[in-house]
Amino acid sequence: MGRCIQLARLGAGMVAPNPLVGCVIVNANRIIGEGYHERFGGPHAEVMALQHMSTDEDLLQATLYVNLEPCNHYGKTPPCTDAILRSGIKRVVVGMTDPNQKVNGQGIQKLRDAGIDVITGVLEKECQELNIRFVYAQLHQQPYVILKWAQSSDGFIGQAERPVRISNETTRFISHAWRAEEQAILVGARTVMTDNPRLNTRQYSGPSPVRILLDRSGALAGMDHLHVFDGTQRTIVFGPEGCAGYRNAEHIRLPDAGNTIDYVLESLWKEGFSSVLVEGGAITHELFLKNNSWNECRIFMADNALGSGISAPSSPAGEMHFESIDGDRYVRIVNNKTP
């Protein structure tokens, strides 16, 4: 099962909103086949493992290990349970049940009804942590939210009229790697106008996320020169009714009343997003924090001081983890509401 988890991680950034899944086939204490879900819409891990077997051995005595319950429905691909049944394998070990309502125990039951010995709950906690975004999104019908910012030693995240670089080269590389792991990256209008960010993964080889812009006043409408409207990535703007328009971007109209953050997250879920990385600015972060609409906070604390500027958000309560990264202090806070 540990090897399944290793394999599954290779699909990070490529399979969302599907979960990360790895599969290993063992016979006589030998791994004879393994695979993982490599890209969204492509074959699932079980099918890949069966296709990549090293021999044409009789599978009646083999055991198939997979970190997530095999699917039992038609989606982009046929049910994995059918592939397992055709293979002749008689023993399957599953890390965790799939929380997706289309599966949720049905795949396990179908295998058992066919006479296959199915063992569940192996390294279950580790399997759940691997797919925490998928699990949370399925259970709560909204994306998993990560708030990320860098702050100076005296508690500022930037200055009002000009962009300020706070983090070091190593932490910037890590930030771009994080972008590649999430489906979407969200920033507020003030950050877009002050920093003119690209919101891509140019310092990392992974895929760039979909850009989400929160423009509650319509300030970004018509500002075609900004990098976020260059057409290189899918871009969605949440803006008010009656805006003049956003170049190379989809416009989702914000309601005149109601909870803005709830509406944004509900809309992103309907658009198929299971995770979003929120990179600022301070006002946008505070909106998510006050609404308790976050799952993780990732904070880089540099050793340099700015003296003045925009105050960093207050660190929320939660399970805290500390690390030192190339001179910067890194704090990860996990919201206790996360399953």
Side-chain angles (χ1 to χ4, degrees):
M1 190 60 67
R3 178 58 178 162
C4 289
I5 293 173
Q6 286 181 333
L7 290 167
R9 288 197 179 104
L10 297 176
M14 303 302 295
V15 302
N18 284 354
L20 299 169
V21 185
C23 179
V24 175
I25 301 172
V26 176
N27 194 12
N29 294 320
R30 292 183 302 111
I31 292 179
I32 61 172
E34 60 180 30
Y36 67 97
H37 187 28
E38 298 180 3
R39 59 179 177 81
F40 178 70
H44 289 186
E46 299 92 327
V47 173
M48 296 295 285
L50 289 166
Q51 289 178 351
H52 293 164
M53 286 177 52
S54 57
T55 67
D56 292 327
E57 297 183 41
D58 185 354
L59 294 180
L60 290 175
Q61 303 303 316
T63 299
L64 183 146
Y65 294 82
V66 63
N67 59 287
L68 186 72
E69 174 185 4
C71 64
N72 187 40
H73 65 286
Y74 282 88
K76 296 285 184 180
T77 61
C80 290
T81 50
D82 289 352
I84 295 171
L85 293 175
R86 288 194 301 269
S87 73
I89 290 173
K90 295 300 181 185
R91 186 169 183 265
V92 174
V93 180
V94 177
M96 63 171 285
T97 302
D98 190 334
N100 186 336
Q101 294 180 357
K102 295 180 179 179
V103 188
N104 198 17
Q106 296 178 50
I108 292 171
Q109 191 59 51
K110 180 174 181 177
L111 295 177
R112 284 175 172 163
D113 289 345
I116 293 178
D117 178 22
V118 182
I119 298 171
T120 61
V122 176
L123 294 187
E124 185 173 28
K125 181 179 179 181
E126 291 84 348
C127 292
Q128 290 174 340
E129 290 175 351
L130 171 71
N131 276 309
I132 189 64
R133 295 160 179 77
F134 175 76
V135 172
Y136 183 85
Q138 291 295 324
L139 293 178
H140 298 276
Q141 308 289 285
Q142 66 179 31
Y144 187 90
V145 176
I146 300 169
L147 307 182
K148 176 262 173 185
W149 68 83
Q151 65 183 66
S152 63
S153 59
D154 50 354
F156 298 104
I157 64 169
Q159 295 183 332
E161 303 303 328
R162 64 184 181 90
V164 176
R165 181 165 287 183
I166 296 175
S167 56
N168 59 45
E169 290 296 332
T170 301
T171 54
R172 280 193 290 276
F173 174 82
I174 292 172
S175 295
H176 282 234
W178 285 347
R179 290 178 179 181
E181 294 176 353
E182 312 307 330
Q183 284 183 272
I185 180 169
L186 185 149
V187 297
R190 181 177 295 182
T191 295
V192 174
M193 292 186 290
T194 301
D195 296 347
N196 193 16
R198 298 180 187 275
L199 304 179
N200 59 19
T201 57
R202 60 193 178 278
Q203 295 185 19
Y204 187 76
S205 60
S208 292
V210 177
R211 297 182 289 213
I212 310 296
L213 312 179
L214 182 56
D215 185 22
R216 293 186 295 166
S217 67
L220 299 179
M223 300 189 72
D224 298 349
H225 65 283
L226 295 170
H227 292 315
V228 291
F229 298 126
D230 61 11
T232 59
Q233 294 159 242
R234 183 185 176 194
T235 302
I236 300 173
V237 183
F238 284 89
E241 186 79 32
C243 283
Y246 302 97
R247 176 172 170 260
N248 294 324
E250 303 164 39
H251 181 197
I252 296 180
R253 289 169 173 78
L254 288 169
D256 294 332
N259 188 305
T260 297
I261 299 304
D262 283 349
Y263 181 81
V264 168
L265 292 178
E266 289 168 5
S267 298
L268 291 179
W269 165 256
K270 292 176 182 178
E271 289 283 329
F273 293 94
S274 59
S275 69
V276 58
L277 176 66
V278 180
E279 286 203 0
I283 294 174
T284 301
H285 279 133
E286 291 289 0
L287 287 173
F288 279 88
L289 289 168
K290 289 178 180 178
N291 205 50
N292 197 29
S293 295
W294 63 280
N295 299 89
E296 293 182 34
C297 273
R298 299 177 181 178
I299 308 169
F300 290 122
M301 298 182 175
D303 61 2
N304 60 308
L306 289 181
S308 63
I310 302 170
S311 296
S314 300
S315 298
E319 180 184 325
M320 304 186 76
H321 305 267
F322 299 92
E323 188 177 346
S324 178
I325 301 178
D326 198 15
D328 283 354
R329 190 185 189 201
Y330 168 54
V331 183
R332 176 174 175 262
I333 307 172
V334 180
N335 196 328
N336 293 329
K337 75 175 183 178
T338 302

